[in-house]
């Protein structure tokens, strides 16, 4: 008996995933990815080189010629000038007196003619930029561990 109609080949509903598929990954790809992930890690020795300290912001002023930069005087056991891209994110009044976490042993950097001697740490997510701070009043200069 001869078929009266030919059925067309139907398209796949889902992409086929086999052992060599990029989505599944080969054993070689998995090893390479793990090596790449490990290469991005920092050793404890390198991390311990960072001098993280609690600082209290004493004064804030805009940096002339910049829409984003603020020049802050921060007490970290000694007073330091730190430049940060916080203009428009925090008002000067909100920053004065605020405690923050500072990377104290960075090489100085000159930003629009102002030397910055440290970095204020912040986190960023969908809701904005959030300065890292101790959860209780802490003596300026205290080490972060």
């Amino acid at each position: 008996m001869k078929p009266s109609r030919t059925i067309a080949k139907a398209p796949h509903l889902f992409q086929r995933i086999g052992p060599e598929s990029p989505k599944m990954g080969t054993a070689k790809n998995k090893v390479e990815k793990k090596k790449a992930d490990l290469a991005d890690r920092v050793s404890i020795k390198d991390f311990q080189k960072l001098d993280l300290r609690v600082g209290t912001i004493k004064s804030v002023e805009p940096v002339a010629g910049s829409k984003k930069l603020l020049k802050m005087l921060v007490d970290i056991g000694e007073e330091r000038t730190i430049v940060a891209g916080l203009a428009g994110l925090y008002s000067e009044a909100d920053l004065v007196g605020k405690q923050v976490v500072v990377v104290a042993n960075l090489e100085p950097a000159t930003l629009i003619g102002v030397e910055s001697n440290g970095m204020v740490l912040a986190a960023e997510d969908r809701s904005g930029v959030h300065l890292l701070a101790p959860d209780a009043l802490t003596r300026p200069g205290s080490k972060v561990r």
Side-chain angles (χ1 to χ4, degrees):
M1 190 150 83
K2 203 173 191 188
S4 60
R5 286 195 258 185
T6 307
I7 299 174
K9 190 170 185 172
H12 293 285
L13 294 175
F14 301 100
Q15 179 182 0
R16 181 178 177 153
I17 299 177
E20 297 299 318
S21 167
K23 286 190 177 181
M24 290 298 288
T26 63
K28 183 179 175 183
N29 288 346
K30 288 179 182 178
V31 168
E32 289 173 7
K33 183 176 179 347
K34 187 169 187 168
K35 283 181 184 177
D37 290 345
L38 291 174
D40 290 339
R41 293 188 181 187
V42 176
S43 72
I44 292 291
K45 280 186 175 184
D46 286 340
F47 179 76
Q48 289 173 334
K49 291 177 185 177
L50 292 176
D51 183 10
L52 302 176
R53 304 221 174 207
V54 173
T56 302
I57 300 172
K58 296 295 190 180
S59 66
V60 180
E61 62 185 69
V63 173
S66 173
K67 293 179 181 176
K68 295 182 179 182
L69 298 178
L70 294 176
K71 176 181 168 183
M72 301 179 289
L73 186 62
V74 183
D75 179 2
I76 60 165
E78 64 182 72
E79 291 189 343
R80 295 266 186 102
T81 298
I82 298 177
V83 177
L86 298 172
L89 303 171
Y90 286 89
S91 72
E92 295 167 35
D94 287 339
L95 290 172
V96 173
K98 187 167 189 65
Q99 289 202 303
V100 292
V101 176
V102 172
V103 181
N105 63 336
L106 285 180
E107 292 181 358
T110 302
L111 304 166
I112 307 184
V114 180
E115 185 176 87
S116 181
N117 290 287
M119 177 185 286
V120 174
L121 296 182
E124 182 175 12
D125 65 10
R126 290 181 183 159
S127 67
V129 174
H130 312 282
L131 292 171
L132 301 186
D135 66 353
L137 188 61
T138 306
R139 183 180 54 79
S142 295
K143 287 194 169 225
V144 175
R145 300 179 190 256

